[in-house]
């Protein structure tokens, strides 16, 4: 991670974009480190908070779309092969399947703020062939909430950005339910999103 943080410090927005993209594409890059540090560097270099958020969300959507595409065209056999080849991914993939089966179309949005699950939920959405418009919309909401919180904390704390990861690990049992509730409320408060999900549910029933 020190290599990644050095890249961000040296190359600024370009490095932030590609590292965030890689994190959402399931490469071993910790968002709890990259996002707060990106916010801290952006603040120190006087980059607008809106700019860094837009860059991070764009990177996240591109990265997660890569995973979605792999899941959609590779399907379940590929996921099973991944679990056999990399046993450490099995727990995350299984959790993602469970969340998807339990919460349906909002699983992607909720999964974006759940550790481990957030990394693999795109594979699952692709494997079960969730409509891309639904996937992209729900991912966009979840990614935006997650990025605003972590980048915002780093942007505010600046040189003390490392405190974000420390407090997150200590209080994540409290933080996670609050984030999940907030994401669900936001998702169904936005009328166009609500209509989109309801319309898709009706199609499924038919």
């Amino acid at each position: 991670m020190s290599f990644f943080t050095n890249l961000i410090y040296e190359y600024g927005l370009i490095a932030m974009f590609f590292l965030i993209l890689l994190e959402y594409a399931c490469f071993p890059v910790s968002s709890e480190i990259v996002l707060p540090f990106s916010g801290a560097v952006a603040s120190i270099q006087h980059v607008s908070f809106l700019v860094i958020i837009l860059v991070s969300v764009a990177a996240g959507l591109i990265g997660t779309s890569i995973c979605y595409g792999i899941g959609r065209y590779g399907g379940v056999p590929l996921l099973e092969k991944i679990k056999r080849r990399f046993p450490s991914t099995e727990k995350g993939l299984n959790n993602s399947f469970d969340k998807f089966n339990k919460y349906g179309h909002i699983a992607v949005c909720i999964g974006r703020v759940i550790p481990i699950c957030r990394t693999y939920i795109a594979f699952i959405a692709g494997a079960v062939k969730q409509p891309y418009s639904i996937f992209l919309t729900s991912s966009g909401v979840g990614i935006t909430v997650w990025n605003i919180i972590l980048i915002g904390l780093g942007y505010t704390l600046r040189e003390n950005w490392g405190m974000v990861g420390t407090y997150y690990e200590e209080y994540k049992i409290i933080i996670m339910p609050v984030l999940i509730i907030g994401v669900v409320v936001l998702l169904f408060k936005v009328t166009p999103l609500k209509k989109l999900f309801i319309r898709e549910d009706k199609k499924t029933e038919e």
Side-chain angles (χ1 to χ4, degrees), residues 17-84:
F17 178 86
F18 282 105
L19 288 176
I20 293 170
L21 185 154
L22 289 176
E23 193 274 328
Y24 278 99
C26 296
F27 281 77
V29 181
S30 172
S31 65
E32 289 83 358
I33 295 177
V34 169
L35 294 180
F37 186 71
S38 296
V41 173
S43 179
I44 292 170
Q45 295 182 351
H46 304 292
V47 176
S48 167
F49 181 68
L50 179 60
V51 170
I52 182 59
I53 291 300
L54 291 176
V55 167
S56 72
V57 171
L61 289 174
I62 293 172
T64 198
S65 293
I66 294 172
C67 293
Y68 173 88
I70 293 172
R72 187 175 182 91
Y73 297 105
V76 176
L78 176 60
L79 296 179
E80 292 300 324
K81 185 178 291 187
I82 290 173
K83 286 194 284 188
R84 288 195 300 270

Side-chain angles (χ1 to χ4, degrees), residues 46-205:
H46 304 292
V47 176
S48 167
F49 181 68
L50 179 60
V51 170
I52 182 59
I53 291 300
L54 291 176
V55 167
S56 72
V57 171
L61 289 174
I62 293 172
T64 198
S65 293
I66 294 172
C67 293
Y68 173 88
I70 293 172
R72 187 175 182 91
Y73 297 105
V76 176
L78 176 60
L79 296 179
E80 292 300 324
K81 185 178 291 187
I82 290 173
K83 286 194 284 188
R84 288 195 300 270
R85 180 67 180 83
F86 304 101
S88 62
T89 66
E90 183 172 359
K91 180 181 178 182
L93 288 169
N94 289 340
N95 285 342
S96 298
F97 265 116
D98 292 340
K99 295 294 184 300
F100 202 96
N101 291 331
K102 184 175 181 180
Y103 297 108
H105 295 309
I106 65 171
V108 173
C109 190
I110 295 174
R112 290 298 172 189
V113 296
I114 300 176
I116 301 178
C117 177
R118 66 182 300 275
T119 306
Y120 301 106
I121 195 70
F123 283 121
I124 311 305
V128 301
K129 293 182 169 50
Q130 182 183 52
Y132 184 64
S133 59
I134 295 288
F135 170 77
L136 201 63
T137 301
S138 54
S139 290
V141 174
I143 287 172
T144 300
V145 171
W146 184 254
N147 289 9
I148 285 176
I149 292 172
L150 292 187
I151 291 176
L153 288 171
Y155 200 90
T156 302
L157 294 172
R158 295 170 68 105
E159 289 84 357
N160 297 314
W161 67 272
M163 295 170 59
V164 177
T166 301
Y167 283 111
Y168 171 79
E169 287 299 322
E170 188 172 351
Y171 297 107
K172 63 183 179 182
I173 295 179
I174 300 173
I175 294 171
M176 285 301 101
V178 173
L179 282 177
I180 291 170
I181 293 171
V183 167
V184 172
V185 170
L186 178 61
L187 186 65
F188 285 94
K189 279 288 186 181
V190 182
T191 304
L193 299 185
K194 185 175 180 180
K195 287 181 178 178
L196 186 62
F197 281 94
I198 291 174
R199 185 162 56 249
E200 187 58 37
D201 286 338
K202 287 181 178 178
K203 288 181 181 179
T204 303
E205 290 174 2

Side-chain angles (χ1 to χ4, degrees), residues 4-20:
F4 293 141
T5 53
N6 287 338
L7 282 179
I8 291 174
Y9 191 78
E10 186 171 355
Y11 296 104
L13 277 175
I14 296 176
M16 294 176 201
F17 178 86
F18 282 105
L19 288 176
I20 293 170

